[in-house]
Amino acid sequence: MCKLGDIILIKEFKGEDGVLLKQHSFIVIDDNKNQISGLDYDFVAPIMSSFRDEEHKKKILSYKVNKELKNEDIEGEFELKKPSYVKTNKLYYFNKRKIKYAVLARITDEYLDELVKVILELDKKDKLSLITENIK
């Protein structure tokens, strides 16, 4: 069962264009059952991605919507395989009954607080993409 602050690996999910994608990591930022546009969901999570190289890292982090994730932001013995970041402007809505996932680790409370602050700021500016493809 995933909960707030968990890093999870989802086996298959639909991207924002509805295309089925394989294995990707997400960070759970809301684990309350609710509805959006009349559709039930169990949790909300922004997607994680990794940097290809230092040049890619500089470019990606120049956009305020991307937040770097480092190993020190993760609790426990889990370590990132590659330098990573979170796309804070894209929130994916999921129904646990419709996906297969595994909990990998948990982020620190400090990182979670920072992540939520960035997302709330983007919401105020109406700069969030709400991706509901996985609950349709």
Side-chain angles (χ1 to χ4, degrees):
M1 185 93 134
C2 65
K3 60 185 185 296
L4 184 67
D6 283 348
I7 298 174
I8 61 171
L9 179 68
I10 296 180
K11 306 293 183 203
E12 286 186 337
F13 69 100
K14 293 177 189 167
E16 56 192 302
D17 56 3
V19 173
L20 192 63
L21 301 169
K22 302 276 184 197
Q23 275 190 180
H24 224 86
S25 297
F26 293 80
I27 296 178
V28 178
I29 60 156
D30 181 357
D31 62 350
N32 296 304
K33 290 183 179 185
N34 209 331
Q35 284 192 337
I36 184 170
S37 303
L39 301 169
D40 293 330
Y41 67 89
D42 295 311
F43 69 94
V44 181
I47 195 166
M48 291 172 53
S49 197
S50 57
F51 302 113
R52 292 188 298 266
D53 53 36
E54 279 302 312
E55 185 177 320
H56 182 240
K57 180 178 177 177
K58 284 181 187 176
K59 179 181 178 186
I60 291 298
L61 293 179
S62 71
Y63 301 105
K64 300 286 184 198
V65 298
N66 298 316
K67 180 157 179 47
E68 186 172 11
L69 179 65
K70 299 177 182 176
N71 281 320
E72 56 259 28
D73 300 319
I74 300 170
E75 294 179 344
E77 296 186 25
F78 177 84
E79 286 197 21
L80 298 166
K81 292 179 182 173
K82 295 181 178 178
S84 302
Y85 66 99
V86 179
K87 297 178 183 180
T88 63
N89 64 330
K90 296 178 188 254
L91 300 181
Y92 287 76
Y93 289 73
F94 291 100
N95 184 317
K96 292 175 193 170
R97 294 184 319 269
K98 294 183 177 185
I99 59 167
K100 291 182 181 178
Y101 68 92
V103 176
L104 302 176
R106 177 174 166 66
I107 58 172
T108 64
D109 289 340
E110 294 80 15
Y111 188 86
L112 179 62
D113 288 346
E114 290 175 27
L115 188 61
V116 170
K117 282 179 191 174
V118 171
I119 291 169
L120 290 173
E121 199 59 39
L122 290 170
D123 188 34
K124 283 181 192 174
K125 296 175 182 176
D126 201 28
K127 294 193 178 208
L128 287 179
S129 294
L130 308 179
I131 301 158
T132 59
E133 297 299 316
N134 296 284
I135 55 173
K136 292 181 178 177

